[in-house]
């Protein structure tokens, strides 16, 4: 593991009603309190309906809470959307932006994602900017060009290692049980690091997470890859035991 403190982030996606979500948050927060000194930062990103209550449950623990998306504007006539200052107002400290499901389901371009990243920063929150290639792009040998192209546009010039985290998530590995190999992850993370250090003064300090079917059985191996500074976890973040085992893989 690098000198960068790892971040283990859970993306609950559109899962959990109140009872399950609060039990999950309470389970994690209790374990974090009992453990005391942790080897990583912990973030959970519940559906918007639960952010406020989850933030209440985790307030006295090391578990941080984030949104899964935000609008580019601070307020206005945007029915159904949520502004970054609203997320901050209810206790969020982070926002996931540009998740591949947002890019696919809502047609979000890297240009829109840059605006959302800037809105996140303006609200004083940390943006977790997600990037990743499709299977077709990988088969064409375009992975590094796609990922670096997404970062070049999605991450604004004013970004710093303090307010921005990158999450590399190959689309073909998300929710499929297929994980990128250690060599594939190492190659992409090294290329992302090279791009960040070329562009930003503190490029060596940005955390770069890997995501895509991270689970207790593969977390330690993935987290030992150079330039992997944590994980963005979907399915396995919905069970306290599984997510906690991934957290404990950061030794
Ligand atoms: P997964 O999801 O762990 O279920 O593959 C990861 C993500 O989409 O962030």
């Amino acid at each position: 593991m690098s000198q960068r403190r790892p971040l283990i982030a859970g993306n609950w996606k559109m899962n959990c009603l109140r009872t399950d979500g609060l039990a999950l948050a309470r389970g994690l927060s209790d374990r974090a309190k009992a453990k005391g000194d942790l080897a990583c930062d912990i973030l959970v990103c519940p559906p918007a309906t639960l952010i406020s209550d989850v933030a209440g449950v985790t307030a006295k623990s090391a578990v941080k809470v984030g949104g899964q998306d935000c609008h580019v504007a601070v307020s206005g006539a945007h029915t159904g959307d949520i502004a970054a200052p609203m997320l901050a107002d209810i206790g969020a400290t982070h926002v996931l932006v540009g998740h591949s499901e947002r890019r696919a389901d809502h047609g979000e371009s890297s240009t829109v994602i840059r605006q959302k990243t800037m809105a996140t920063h303006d609200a004083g929150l940390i943006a977790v900017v997600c990037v990743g290639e499709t299977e077709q792009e990988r088969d064409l040998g375009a992975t590094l060009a796609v990922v670096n192209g997404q970062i070049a546009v999605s991450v604004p010039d004013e970004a710093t290692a303090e307010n921005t985290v990158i999450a590399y998530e190959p689309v073909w590995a998300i929710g499929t049980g297929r994980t990128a190999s250690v060599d594939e992850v190492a190659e992409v993370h090294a290329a992302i690091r090279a791009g960040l250090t070329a562009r930003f003064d503190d490029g060596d300090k940005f955390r770069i997470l890997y995501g895509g079917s991270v689970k207790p059985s593969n977390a330690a191996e993935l987290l030992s890859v150079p330039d992997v500074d944590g994980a963005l976890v979907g399915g396995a973040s919905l069970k306290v035991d599984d997510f906690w085992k991934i957290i404990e893989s950061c030794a």
Side-chain angles (χ1 to χ4, degrees), residues 163-180:
N163 65 18
T164 307
V165 175
I166 308 294
Y168 167 57
E169 299 199 299
V171 176
W172 49 271
I174 294 176
T176 59
R178 289 170 62 197
T179 314

Side-chain angles (χ1 to χ4, degrees), residues 11 13 99 101 169 173-175 212-214 232-235:
N11 174 10
K13 308 192 180 184
H99 190 281
E101 287 151 15
E169 299 199 299
I174 294 176
S213 298
V214 177
L232 180 54
V233 186

Side-chain angles (χ1 to χ4, degrees), residues 150-194:
Q150 287 173 338
I151 292 175
V153 180
S154 306
V155 179
D157 289 337
E158 318 75 60
T160 67
E162 295 284 308
N163 65 18
T164 307
V165 175
I166 308 294
Y168 167 57
E169 299 199 299
V171 176
W172 49 271
I174 294 176
T176 59
R178 289 170 62 197
T179 314
S181 71
V182 162
D183 287 348
E184 288 167 338
V185 174
E187 182 191 28
V188 178
H189 280 241
I192 293 173
R193 177 71 61 207

Side-chain angles (χ1 to χ4, degrees), residues 63-250:
V63 180
K64 303 264 193 263
V65 183
Q68 297 177 10
D69 176 49
C70 69
H71 195 271
V72 301
V74 294
S75 64
H78 303 289
T79 303
D81 278 313
I82 298 175
M86 295 172 174
L87 296 171
D89 192 39
I90 56 171
T93 54
H94 295 64
V95 187
L96 301 181
V97 287
H99 190 281
S100 68
E101 287 151 15
R102 300 284 322 169
R103 291 178 189 258
D105 293 357
H106 300 271
E108 291 187 9
S109 65
S110 290
T111 301
V112 166
I113 291 157
R114 180 177 67 241
Q115 292 166 350
K116 292 188 174 198
T117 304
M118 292 165 80
T120 298
H121 293 162
D122 289 345
L125 303 178
I126 298 169
V128 181
V129 181
C130 306
V131 296
E133 81 287 2
T134 63
E135 183 155 39
Q136 193 188 18
E137 288 164 340
R138 175 161 284 274
D139 290 346
L140 289 170
T143 298
L144 299 185
V146 167
V147 167
N148 278 328
Q150 287 173 338
I151 292 175
V153 180
S154 306
V155 179
D157 289 337
E158 318 75 60
T160 67
E162 295 284 308
N163 65 18
T164 307
V165 175
I166 308 294
Y168 167 57
E169 299 199 299
V171 176
W172 49 271
I174 294 176
T176 59
R178 289 170 62 197
T179 314
S181 71
V182 162
D183 287 348
E184 288 167 338
V185 174
E187 182 191 28
V188 178
H189 280 241
I192 293 173
R193 177 71 61 207
L196 292 172
T197 48
R199 182 171 165 205
F200 298 101
D201 290 344
D202 60 352
D204 60 327
K205 297 198 172 65
F206 281 64
R207 290 186 284 193
I208 308 173
L209 315 184
Y210 170 77
S213 298
V214 177
K215 43 195 178 236
S217 59
N218 62 20
E221 185 181 39
L222 289 163
L223 290 167
S224 70
V225 175
D227 283 308
V228 172
D229 308 309
L232 180 54
V233 186
S237 73
L238 295 172
K239 291 204 179 100
V240 176
D241 281 348
D242 285 354
F243 195 54
W244 193 258
K245 280 185 196 135
I246 295 170
I247 289 165
E248 294 219 302
S249 304
C250 295

